[in-house]
Amino acid sequence: DVLSCQKFESAIANCSWPIEEWDENTGLHIRFLKQNDYYQIPSDCLKSLHLTNLFFAGRNISATEGAIASARVIGICLQTGFAAGILAAAEITKTPQGIAIQAIQSKQIFA
């Protein structure tokens, strides 16, 4: 999803940071996204599979090791933290997820 610049209807964050993988033996390995493109993080990456009222943000989102090697940067951590708060508040108030996602997207944190 990262390297193919996947987009999602339920997107809560946009990211264009490359995949940065660090290895103590081989050093830094960077895989870049398509030029002038980005990928999106869907809301499901922030939800617990086992508890309906538990959401994650930052480096704790549900993603592969390679995807986290891109999404762990501060801008994405801030976006997922904001989104986790909105989604958690929606859960408490029984607001439909679609409305919560629209609220996240309308805050224009998607620059």
Side-chain angles (χ1 to χ4, degrees):
D1 290 349
V2 172
L3 293 175
S4 66
C5 297
Q6 190 72 25
K7 310 298 189 287
F8 298 93
E9 190 172 310
S10 65
I12 51 82
N14 289 343
C15 183
S16 60
W17 198 261
I19 296 175
E20 284 184 5
E21 297 171 305
W22 293 84
D23 183 276
E24 64 182 62
N25 298 319
T26 59
L28 174 63
H29 177 69
I30 298 178
R31 292 185 282 164
F32 292 94
L33 282 61
K34 298 175 199 171
Q35 188 171 353
N36 298 320
D37 207 352
Y38 62 95
Y39 67 93
Q40 294 183 314
I41 298 174
S43 63
D44 287 346
C45 289
L46 277 58
K47 295 179 182 180
S48 170
L49 287 176
H50 306 291
L51 299 171
T52 59
N53 62 347
L54 181 61
F55 296 87
F56 302 95
R59 295 182 70 176
N60 292 326
I61 66 172
S62 178
T64 64
E65 191 173 315
I68 287 297
S70 168
R72 67 179 172 225
V73 297
I74 191 68
I76 302 307
C77 290
L78 291 169
Q79 288 183 69
T80 58
F82 175 82
I86 297 293
L87 292 170
E91 185 72 30
I92 291 169
T93 62
K94 307 293 186 216
T95 302
Q97 179 179 318
I99 292 173
I101 291 169
Q102 287 176 351
I104 294 164
Q105 293 172 350
S106 71
K107 295 298 179 190
Q108 298 182 351
I109 57 169
F110 279 62

